[in-house]
Structures are given as structure tokens and as C-alpha cells.
Amino acid sequence: MIYLDSAATAPVRREVLEAMWPALTQDFGNPSSHHTVGEAAARALEYARGKAAAVLGCRPGEIIFTSGGTEANNLAIKGIALARPRGRHLVVSAVEHPSVLEAADYLERFHGFRTTRIPVDDEGTVDLDALAAALTPETTLCSVMYANNEVGTVQPVAQIGRLCRAAGVPFHVDAVQAAGWLPLDIAGLGADSLSISGHKLGAPKGSGLLYAAGRLPLEPLVHGGGQERGRRSGTENVAGAVGTATALALAEAERAEAAARVGRYRDFLVDQVLGALPEAVLTGHPHERLPGSASFCFPGTSGEAVLLELERRGIVCSSGSACHAGSDEPSAVLLAMGIDRAVAQTAVRLTLSAAVKESEVAMAARAVVAAVRQVQALAR
């Protein structure tokens, strides 16, 4: 089996398991307990906080450990919006992850907010002029993802950050897919908050973090014992925090080499598929995209049939976001990019990990071509 669905999740790294082991065994205490066992757990938690902060270029106290990217996005969107008295207006892109779009929808339904959804072009890039025009004195928050989870398009977040800063609007960045592939320097991005998911990087599922600037008011979603400096109550998942921070640090240390190498593999895969299947459509930006992301539509086929044929040939990939797996509806991201509904239902996404081998990518390219041709032949 060749696993090419790393945008959905990645296997847990051995180094991460080894780093977590003490927090699961001898340092198992509650970090809020005032005895030696609890204090050992608290030290492990603060070690993880410092490790993550070093990657992002922020203060350790600005790191909030969460259960993953979805919770981090919800905490940022709802927490910032409900804590700030300024206006009741949100600005998001049309291709955000459901955890952002549905958090905005919640604020509209129950708290009287209105949301401006900024359009994207046919490559999935946000319209900067439309975004700048949408920022008003009533805007509470702007949220734009760093890189899209379905088509891999990288957004001009630094430019968006400057627009938000000039307008005095807090800027949230969903960096779940970008982590490990793109620079995460908070100052360079101009982000006031930023979300990361551990299991995309080699930590266990159920762990992640949110960076939230210390000056930023943040209403907690979970109330209780006041953990995480009152911003996220509940006994902390110390092992998960250590795992997320370790995976993030490892990915950042390897990022430059991995991005260059995997980017070459991705380009080879794209060239092979488009060269052999002239009817195929590469979705997303042709160059400003994640190094490991190759997404296609194959008009005249069924995306699900192609996926089944690929798995029969030993290639595991997906049609798009794992969060909407099993849905009969075409991808909202592809529709927002202006792709026809029937074509959008032929989508196939292959996402490469940093551990992928060149030989595996070559095998995958041949398998994609063969699988599409097989499905086309059966449809005649």
C-alpha cells in the first residue's frame, strides 16, 4: 500500500511517541495538583508550550493547547468575536475549512453577526480587492486559511495580514495544512491567532494548539477550572501537548529540505498525469500550492470509481476533505472556484508526506493513469 492522503492524517512518528512516553508513565499527574507528581506534569506541559512557541516566534503564554484544529478554529472565531465589543461582522474566504465556516454560521444564527464570504478565482486564490473592501469599522474578525486542504492553494496571508492590520481588524490564520510545509513566523504572517492540528504532523489525533496574541481578548468556549490561563478549561492532555509540540518542532526542522524534495515529486506526478490524460484538470494554483498537494478532476469519470480502482491497485488517496467524506454533494471548495458540479464530482486528491519515496510517486502516477483509463473504458 502507498498512502497518499497525508492531508487527512499522518502516522504517529516514533520520536513523538518517545517524547510522550514519560508524560504517560512517570509524569502522569494532573498539572494543576500541588505535589511532586503534578508539578512534574506541569513542567512537561510548559516544556511543550515553550517548544511550540519557539517555532511560531511567540511567547509561551500565547500558546493554548486544544483537542485539534477544529477546536482551535472554533476558539479563535467564536472566542475573538464574542470577546470584542467592536461590531458584529465577520470576513472569511469562500474556501475555508468547515470548522471556520460553521463557526461563523453559528455566530450569525445565535449572536446576530453577519458574514462576508470573499470569493476566490478559478485557482482558489482569495480576491484581495474584495477582501480589502469588506473590512470596515464594524468588522470584528477576518479569517483566511494559509493553504487549502482540498486543492493546496497557498493564500497571500502576509498581504492579508497587512490589510487587516491597517484596518484594525484581528486576523486569524488556519495553518493546519501549512504546518511543516510553509513558514509559520507569526510576525511575518501578521496573524493575531493561528491554529495547528497535531495529527497532520505525526502526533496522535485529538491534539492541537491555538496561538492567540496576549493582547487579544478571547472568550473561552469551555468554562470550568480555568486551565490554560482561563482560556480553555479542563485538565490538560499533557502527553498530547508534548506530542504536538514535538511533531511541530521536528516538522519545522525538516521543512526546507522536505518541501523542496516533495515539491519535485509532486511536479513529476502532475506532469505524468496531465501528459497521459489530456482531459484531466489540475485544480488549485499551478505554482502557489503546497509541496505535497496534487488534486485533479477527471471529466467523464466518477471520482469514487477512480478512488476504488486506485485502492485496488494499492494507492490510498481521497476525493477531498476527510471532514465531508461520504457526502454525495460536490466539494464546496471546487464549486467556489467555478468548477461545474458534474466535473467537481470527479475530484481526486493525492497528498504526499515528507516520508514519501520517489519510487512510490512514480508508481502512483502510473496507477492514476491506469485507473482513470479503466474507469473511462467501463463507462463507454
Side-chain angles (χ1 to χ4, degrees):
M1 183 189 77
I2 298 174
Y3 179 77
L4 299 181
D5 198 20
S6 63
T9 195
V12 179
R13 295 183 59 154
R14 181 180 182 89
E15 306 98 313
V16 170
L17 288 173
E18 291 172 350
M20 292 173 63
W21 184 247
L24 294 167
T25 53
Q26 73 259 25
D27 297 335
F28 60 85
N30 187 322
S32 297
S33 297
H34 296 293
H35 47 56
T36 54
V37 180
E39 288 167 357
R43 286 193 297 272
L45 186 63
E46 294 314 305
Y47 165 80
R49 207 182 305 279
K51 201 174 187 69
V55 174
L56 301 182
C58 65
R59 297 193 300 271
E62 296 175 314
I63 298 293
I64 305 166
F65 287 111
T66 69
S67 63
T70 290
E71 184 192 342
N73 281 336
N74 271 262
L75 178 54
I77 304 301
K78 298 174 185 174
I80 294 170
L82 296 177
R84 285 179 59 89
R86 167 183 167 142
R88 288 181 181 272
H89 176 230
L90 306 171
V91 174
V92 302
S93 87
V95 294
E96 294 301 299
H97 188 269
S99 59
V100 169
L101 295 176
E102 293 183 21
D105 179 64
Y106 163 82
L107 290 168
E108 287 186 289
R109 287 184 291 119
F110 294 103
H111 294 279
F113 281 76
R114 64 183 179 87
T115 303
T116 299
R117 291 168 174 81
I118 306 301
V120 297
D121 62 18
D122 58 2
E123 295 174 342
T125 305
V126 167
D127 184 329
L128 289 179
D129 290 336
L131 188 145
L135 301 174
T136 75
E138 296 300 310
T139 305
T140 311
L141 174 69
C142 175
S143 180
V144 177
M145 64 184 0
Y146 199 166
N148 188 263
N149 53 306
E150 292 190 37
V151 299
T153 297
V154 176
Q155 302 294 351
V157 288
Q159 291 176 258
I160 296 170
R162 288 192 290 271
L163 291 172
C164 290
R165 188 61 51 87
V169 175
F171 178 39
H172 173 64
V173 175
D174 173 353
V176 167
Q177 294 296 332
W181 296 115
L182 303 173
L184 294 178
D185 176 62
I186 293 298
L189 297 176
D192 297 288
S193 60
L194 180 143
S195 52
I196 288 174
S197 178
H199 76 97
K200 311 291 188 181
L201 298 168
K205 300 170 187 67
S207 60
L209 63 85
L210 174 70
Y211 154 77
R215 67 182 183 283
L216 195 65
L218 192 70
E219 178 66 25
L221 301 183
V222 181
H223 300 86
Q227 289 87 349
E228 295 297 284
R229 294 166 174 79
R231 297 169 297 181
R232 200 264 191 184
S233 290
T235 301
E236 298 93 340
N237 176 5
V238 178
V242 170
T244 293
T246 301
L248 178 62
L250 287 169
E252 176 61 20
E254 299 164 358
R255 178 173 60 80
E257 183 279 330
R261 173 172 47 81
V262 175
R264 291 193 299 271
Y265 297 167
R266 176 210 61 201
D267 290 345
F268 171 82
L269 173 61
V270 170
D271 289 345
Q272 292 295 302
V273 171
L274 297 183
L277 301 168
E279 70 279 14
V281 177
L282 177 70
T283 56
H285 197 285
H287 309 297
E288 297 298 325
R289 64 189 300 131
L290 290 171
S293 180
S295 53
F296 305 93
C297 285
F298 299 108
T301 69
S302 159
E304 289 301 318
V306 173
L307 291 175
L308 289 171
E309 183 62 23
L310 279 170
E311 188 157 8
R312 190 181 72 81
R313 295 169 183 269
I315 309 298
V316 175
C317 52
S318 68
S319 59
S321 173
C323 298
H324 279 174
S327 172
D328 292 331
E329 288 298 308
S331 160
V333 169
L334 297 181
L335 295 181
M337 292 165 55
I339 295 175
D340 181 80
R341 293 179 69 89
V343 174
Q345 288 182 311
T346 71
V348 172
R349 178 188 72 173
L350 302 101
T351 46
L352 319 180
S353 73
V356 72
K357 298 180 177 66
E358 186 174 12
S359 59
E360 293 175 325
V361 178
M363 291 173 64
R366 292 193 294 271
V368 170
V369 172
V372 171
R373 285 175 174 165
Q374 175 72 14
V375 172
Q376 289 172 333
L378 293 173
R380 293 192 183 104

